[in-house]
Amino acid sequence: MRMAKAEYTLDSVRAALIREEDSIIYGLIERAKFPINSQTYTQIPHFSASLLHFVVTNTEAVQAKAGRYKNPEQNPFFPENLPPSLVTSYPFTQFLHAGTASININKSIWKFYIHELLPLFVASGDDGNYAQTAASDLSLLQAISRRIHYGKFVAEVKFRESPQDYEPLIRAKDREGLMKLLTFESVEEMVRKRVEKKAMLYGQDVTLNNDDDSNIKKYKVDPSVASTLYKKWLIPLTKDVQVEYLLHRLD
């Protein structure tokens, strides 16, 4: 019989967040292979929403049947009316506080992804590969969602380590105080620098031509996009999830 996942620790959640950086950066690179393909985001015939919405809802339905959302680390974009799992449930550790696992801000992620992030790094144009574009969008959206919602696990670990620091703020419903307690600007700056460096390494064009000017680097995605993604959205939204989680931690 398989054993349930080990208890979460501050080191393990940090390692998970660092690993997720790789998935997000590779997701950016994969999405950048296609132009904006705006028809992916407009309503399609016989469906009340966009092609991306169609691909995501149907993919999530299949993945729900396969048991994906039994894992508390996974959060669907469209949780309404998901079919039940058809597979035997794995004994995931029940680590999160009851009643907080349902925190889901994927609607906000969906909005900034389409309207703000994509224009930062995707070329204009249309190559007709709408289904492939939607598939790459879904992969990147899921990686971004995992990273942001992992804030629930970060918050639980931090609470268990120092409940005396958090309980007074939680009882006072002090969002600002909780946000201040969770914010470490030096760590955030280190994360931004690391993801930008990873984007440089993972996304550089490699050539065997020795005549190329080694001082001129070409990248599949501008490395600053990775840093901006973390600075403007991923880090702030992860902290928003942590605060929301903590506010319900004593319920």
Side-chain angles (χ1 to χ4, degrees):
M1 178 179 177
R2 296 175 297 176
M3 296 298 293
K5 186 173 180 176
E7 192 79 352
Y8 293 85
T9 66
L10 195 55
D11 285 340
S12 72
V13 296
R14 283 173 177 165
L17 292 174
I18 291 172
R19 288 195 301 271
E20 201 62 52
E21 294 168 3
D22 299 344
S23 299
I24 290 169
I25 291 166
Y26 283 123
L28 291 169
I29 292 169
E30 286 299 303
R31 179 58 184 87
K33 292 195 305 187
F34 305 103
I36 191 65
N37 285 338
S38 58
Q39 290 196 47
T40 308
Y41 314 104
T42 57
Q43 185 172 335
I44 59 174
H46 313 299
F47 192 68
S48 60
S50 68
L51 176 63
L52 178 60
H53 191 292
F54 174 83
V55 169
V56 173
T57 53
N58 282 276
T59 302
E60 287 189 339
V62 171
Q63 292 178 341
K65 289 181 180 180
R68 176 173 186 142
Y69 302 109
K70 293 294 184 179
N71 184 340
E73 296 179 9
Q74 303 296 328
N75 296 269
F77 279 86
F78 302 102
E80 307 84 4
N81 302 316
L82 281 177
S85 173
L86 301 179
V87 301
T88 303
S89 294
Y90 179 79
F92 291 104
T93 300
Q94 298 303 308
F95 182 70
L96 298 178
H97 182 65
T100 58
S102 61
I103 294 170
N104 187 323
I105 65 165
N106 275 333
K107 286 183 172 59
S108 296
I109 296 171
W110 182 275
K111 184 177 179 180
F112 89 69
Y113 177 85
I114 294 173
H115 298 292
E116 298 181 73
L117 178 61
L118 285 178
L120 286 182
F121 75 100
V122 175
S124 59
D126 189 320
D127 67 1
N129 290 304
Y130 309 130
Q132 298 95 315
T133 297
S136 65
D137 281 328
L138 172 57
S139 179
L140 180 51
L141 279 164
Q142 288 179 328
I144 289 172
S145 175
R146 281 195 303 273
R147 200 286 179 188
I148 290 173
H149 288 98
Y150 211 76
K152 291 183 279 189
F153 294 88
V154 177
E156 179 64 22
V157 168
K158 290 182 176 179
F159 177 85
R160 292 191 185 192
E161 285 200 339
S162 305
Q164 70 281 359
D165 294 334
Y166 289 96
E167 286 188 8
L169 297 171
I170 295 170
R171 296 186 191 282
K173 302 295 182 183
D174 186 351
R175 289 180 177 270
E176 185 176 344
L178 287 169
M179 183 63 74
K180 184 177 181 180
L181 191 58
L182 294 166
T183 299
F184 298 90
E185 292 183 0
S186 60
V187 174
E188 293 175 9
E189 178 65 19
M190 179 184 67
V191 171
R192 294 194 297 267
K193 288 181 177 179
R194 183 173 63 236
V195 296
E196 184 164 352
K197 185 172 183 179
K198 284 184 176 183
M200 293 174 67
L201 292 172
Y202 302 167
Q204 62 183 303
D205 287 333
V206 178
T207 177
L208 299 179
N209 187 351
N210 294 327
D211 294 331
D212 283 353
D213 186 346
S214 59
N215 293 321
I216 301 176
K217 296 288 187 181
K218 294 182 179 180
Y219 302 104
K220 298 175 178 68
V221 174
D222 184 341
S224 68
V225 171
S227 178
T228 299
L229 172 59
Y230 271 76
K231 180 178 182 179
K232 189 173 182 180
W233 294 294
L234 266 59
I235 292 173
L237 289 175
T238 301
K239 290 193 294 184
D240 285 346
V241 166
Q242 291 182 61
V243 169
E244 193 65 28
Y245 179 91
L246 289 167
L247 286 172
H248 295 282
R249 179 57 178 77
L250 301 179
D251 291 353

